[in-house]
Amino acid sequence: MTSVSPPAPLAGPVFVRLLARVAGAGARAGDGPPLAATLAQWIDWPRAVTLSGALDERLDAPADGPRFDAAEDAVCLQLRAQLREAIANDPLLAIVGADAARAGDVADFAPLRSCYLAHQRAMLTATGRLRGRLRDMLAARPPLARVGEVDAAMEQVLAPREHALLAGVPDLLAAHFERMREAAPAPPASAPGPAPHAWLDRFRLDMRELLLAEFDLRFSPVDALLAALRTPDPSP
């Protein structure tokens, strides 16, 4: 099997810190109840039973399905790279700098909201498809089959709340956009000074960093499944 780069570290703390910055001075990354208390709110008893079943149930015989090999690994890595590159190179998120011709190309947040939502949909579609396919490959390998079962249960338990929370990110960005626009200094009458659209460049950078952090967060389950599949089966 070809050598691969190790998966990126879990980006949850990075994503939370960026969200706190975008949300304004009143929000801090450490605010809120402890993780255990939060999970207790997310996982009610029917979901806890589902998760417990995935951990304890007797697995069926290995299923026939796609086999993981170097080619499959390369396809996953390529899709991940393409999606990340699409965010990094999105023209709406490009820094204008001294390009006065583009100073007013974003009059309000609407096109940026559409941009963020489009990238979220692409991430959701790709990770959902990849997780399903990788779980099928795990099911064909008895030592690793339970990993796929637990991942499926975790997705069922946590995905609804996760999707609802991530859907609110564009609203936080919209408020951040308005605060930055209102706080931007008026363009100087004659003396040289900051470009009138400098705040917009800073906002684009914030939005791009947040999208990339969300990307790493959404892909962390895929990275975990890939890490399991890359692990050689134990010798009998």
Side-chain angles (χ1 to χ4, degrees):
M1 183 175 294
T2 57
S3 62
V4 294
S5 301
L10 182 63
V14 175
F15 184 63
V16 171
R17 286 197 297 271
L18 290 173
L19 274 181
R21 188 174 74 191
V22 164
R28 293 181 301 176
D31 289 348
L35 176 61
T38 301
L39 287 177
Q41 296 173 7
W42 285 28
I43 304 177
D44 54 18
W45 72 264
R47 291 184 174 89
V49 169
T50 298
L51 184 56
S52 177
L55 291 168
D56 299 333
E57 68 183 354
R58 183 172 178 271
L59 297 179
D60 297 330
D64 292 331
R67 300 288 172 168
F68 185 76
D69 55 21
E72 288 285 353
D73 200 1
V75 168
C76 293
L77 291 174
Q78 182 181 23
L79 177 57
R80 193 185 197 284
Q82 288 173 344
L83 288 169
R84 190 176 180 85
E85 185 178 357
I87 295 171
N89 297 333
D90 191 306
L92 268 181
L93 303 179
I95 302 303
V96 174
D99 185 2
R102 288 192 55 204
D105 64 350
V106 178
D108 57 45
F109 184 68
L112 292 166
R113 179 187 293 274
S114 297
C115 169
Y116 202 97
L117 290 173
H119 286 298
Q120 282 189 319
R121 287 192 296 270
M123 289 186 278
L124 179 61
T125 300
T127 53
R129 184 171 64 250
L130 280 176
R131 287 177 82 173
R133 185 167 180 79
L134 295 177
R135 287 197 294 255
D136 289 343
M137 295 176 188
L138 286 165
R141 293 174 59 181
L144 300 174
R146 191 173 299 281
V147 175
E149 294 289 332
V150 172
D151 180 71
M154 290 294 289
E155 184 177 20
Q156 179 183 352
V157 167
L158 299 178
R161 186 66 178 268
E162 176 186 286
H163 294 168
L165 291 174
L166 292 175
V169 174
D171 291 333
L172 292 177
L173 280 168
H176 184 47
F177 180 93
E178 292 302 329
R179 285 194 302 270
M180 291 188 72
R181 179 161 62 179
E182 291 172 3
S190 56
H197 56 275
W199 70 270
L200 188 53
D201 278 349
R202 291 196 300 272
F203 176 83
R204 285 187 173 102
L205 183 59
D206 286 347
M207 181 168 158
R208 187 170 61 197
E209 288 181 347
L210 190 61
L211 262 174
L212 290 171
E214 182 176 333
F215 172 89
D216 287 337
L217 181 68
R218 286 181 181 267
F219 261 81
S220 57
V222 174
D223 292 334
L225 294 176
L226 282 171
L229 285 164
R230 292 169 186 149
T231 303
D233 290 339
S235 302

